[in-house]
Amino acid sequence: GENVEQHPSTLSVQEGDSAVIKCTYSDSASNYFPWYKQELGKGPQLIIDIRSNVGEKKDQRIAVTLNKTAKHFSLHITETQPEDSAVYFCAASLVLGGADGLTFGKGTHLIIQP
Amino acid sequence: GAVVSQHPSRVICKSGTSVKIECRSLDFQATTMFWYRQFPKQSLMLMATSNEGSKATYEQGVEKDKFLINHASLTLSTLTVTSAHPEDSSFYICSARDSAFLHFGNGTRLTVT
């Protein structure tokens, strides 16, 4: 089955700096890669996603890049703000949007230092 | 946007009792809902897929008689933890598929004393 590795497990950055979280996946057939943000005591929220036919996608301060050859994808957050502090999960799926086949990384605790 | 409501957000129960958790899609119909379990500082683990009008599909290692899932309508799925024990204490999260995308509930913190 699919295996998703996520690094780092904890990331501390100064407010205003950029943060990068990286994930690798094992199944070359995976074609959908969402990122979720989970705040303390809440469920994950989809913040951005990318399909395998696209190399990069950007939404304001958030961007995701995908390297299909190397089977890795990354989340980039620029100009970080205190409200960006949360746990971020990457995931990979064989089916667009489907939970069946959706494999999560272990998560990255992002801490924004004021 | 699509909203998934999960209730209760927190529940404390005594060992041996049963607890029901509700997951509702508020502004869309969901033929498929999913239940996850999350331990502290760990990722989400899919427990089961809930299909409206049919039996749930459980992941390997998940006891179907202990975690009863009912998906009686297109907007409601319930997870009942039967004969709860302290080791069942966890954060339970549901999600529902709205066309192509998953939306998550805010989770239920279950504490079994």
Side-chain angles (χ1 to χ4, degrees):
Chain A
E2 176 65 277
N3 182 48
V4 176
E5 298 283 341
Q6 182 172 348
H7 299 281
S9 56
T10 304
L11 177 61
S12 181
V13 300
Q14 289 293 124
E15 182 178 349
D17 288 350
S18 296
V20 180
I21 302 170
K22 299 181 179 182
C23 287
T24 60
Y25 61 100
S26 61
D27 192 339
S28 56
S30 290
N31 55 17
Y32 176 65
F33 307 92
W35 284 89
Y36 294 90
K37 175 183 180 182
Q38 185 177 24
E39 296 176 337
L40 190 63
K42 295 185 177 181
Q45 280 196 314
L46 179 68
I47 55 172
I48 196 166
D49 57 14
I50 192 167
R51 306 179 193 185
S52 61
N53 59 347
V54 175
E56 184 175 357
K57 184 176 178 181
K58 191 173 182 180
D59 182 5
Q60 300 183 336
R61 296 186 297 108
I62 295 174
V64 57
T65 58
L66 171 66
N67 183 325
K68 284 179 61 180
T69 303
K71 289 189 283 188
H72 67 69
F73 56 112
S74 301
L75 177 71
H76 304 252
I77 305 175
T78 58
E79 300 172 22
T80 53
Q81 300 169 3
E83 54 265 35
D84 294 330
S85 294
V87 177
Y88 291 80
F89 292 98
C90 64
S93 173
L94 285 169
V95 177
L96 176 64
D100 43 321
L102 189 65
T103 304
F104 288 91
K106 292 186 184 295
T108 296
H109 185 192
L110 176 62
I111 302 164
I112 307 301
Q113 304 278 6
Chain B
V3 177
V4 172
S5 173
Q6 191 172 338
H7 180 81
S9 57
R10 289 178 180 273
V11 58
I12 301 172
C13 71
K14 291 188 176 181
S15 189
T17 62
S18 295
V19 174
K20 181 184 283 189
I21 303 169
E22 293 187 348
C23 181
R24 294 181 185 270
S25 56
L26 296 186
D27 53 2
F28 66 100
Q29 293 183 329
T31 54
T32 305
M33 292 186 177
F34 307 91
W35 288 95
Y36 305 82
R37 185 171 182 176
Q38 187 178 33
F39 291 103
K41 298 185 179 181
Q42 293 192 25
S43 190
L44 292 83
M45 299 299 295
L46 180 65
M47 297 175 65
T49 301
S50 171
N51 303 298
E52 188 268 335
S54 64
K55 291 183 178 180
T57 304
Y58 290 81
E59 296 298 301
Q60 192 172 9
V62 178
E63 299 177 58
K64 61 179 69 176
D65 294 331
K66 180 163 188 65
F67 298 101
L68 299 179
I69 291 171
N70 184 278
H71 194 156
S73 77
L74 288 171
T75 59
L76 174 65
S77 175
T78 60
L79 169 68
T80 301
V81 183
T82 62
S83 187
H85 291 287
E87 56 265 32
D88 299 324
S89 297
S90 193
F91 194 51
Y92 293 87
I93 305 173
C94 70
S95 71
R97 188 188 296 165
D98 174 25
S99 64
F101 302 101
L102 280 180
H103 302 276
F104 287 84
N106 270 335
T108 297
R109 170 71 60 194
L110 171 63
T111 303
V112 185
T113 62

